[in-house]
Amino acid sequence: MFYFAKYLAQIIVMGAQVVGRAFARALRQEFAASQAAAEARGGAGRQSAAASSFTGMTLQEAQQILNISTLTPEEIQKNYEHLFKVNDKAVGGSFYLQSKVVRAKERLDEELSIQQQHESKPPDQQQQT
């Protein structure tokens, strides 16, 4: 009985190590892919990647949630207002979906802000960021 428990404990520890290593490897790959994508987009890309990590939502996810194809403040606001009203709990909507809509708008607003900052910088400073 003692040997069985000992072997079972060893199997559990080995399994946890394997899973831990696989998770760490996947995390490193995801981080490297994220950095490569940010570098490909340049200085604004780094800020955009930081915004994605801060809000927990990528730009593409936010665009899908609000059904936005181009980043225009008018289209974002129009779709946000519609989806916010439709998902209002008072009319049978979902608080979860409504909060997703709010987060998506925050992410898109942040992206617009990043783009405006990047466009307003002189060309020599855009290379440095």
Side-chain angles (χ1 to χ4, degrees):
M1 187 65 161
F2 174 72
Y3 292 112
F4 176 72
K6 179 180 173 183
Y7 289 127
L8 183 61
Q10 286 178 340
I11 290 171
I12 291 171
V13 168
M14 291 170 90
Q17 288 175 340
V18 168
V19 170
R21 284 188 202 117
F23 180 74
R25 187 178 316 119
L27 197 60
R28 280 193 298 271
Q29 288 174 348
E30 183 62 31
F31 183 71
S34 172
Q35 279 188 325
E39 287 174 11
R41 290 189 305 246
R46 285 187 205 87
Q47 288 178 321
S48 181
S52 291
S53 114
F54 179 72
T55 60
M57 182 179 294
T58 67
L59 177 60
Q60 291 77 18
E61 288 172 320
Q63 286 178 306
Q64 285 178 339
I65 290 169
L66 289 183
N67 195 25
I68 304 270
S69 55
T70 58
L71 285 179
T72 59
E74 298 80 22
E75 186 179 6
I76 292 170
Q77 188 63 32
K78 180 182 146 217
N79 289 11
Y80 165 75
E81 288 174 0
H82 169 72
L83 290 170
F84 191 84
K85 288 177 189 172
V86 168
N87 289 302
D88 190 5
K89 211 168 179 182
V91 294
S94 163
F95 178 73
Y96 173 77
L97 291 177
Q98 197 175 40
S99 65
K100 280 288 199 186
V101 168
V102 170
R103 296 291 167 253
K105 182 176 185 311
E106 288 175 350
R107 177 65 181 92
L108 292 173
D109 287 344
E110 183 68 26
E111 190 66 28
L112 283 174
S113 170
I114 290 168
Q115 286 182 359
Q116 288 172 351
Q117 286 175 0
H118 192 67
E119 289 170 1
S120 67
K121 286 184 180 178
D124 61 332
Q125 286 185 347
Q126 287 181 5
Q127 297 288 332
Q128 295 171 354
T129 43

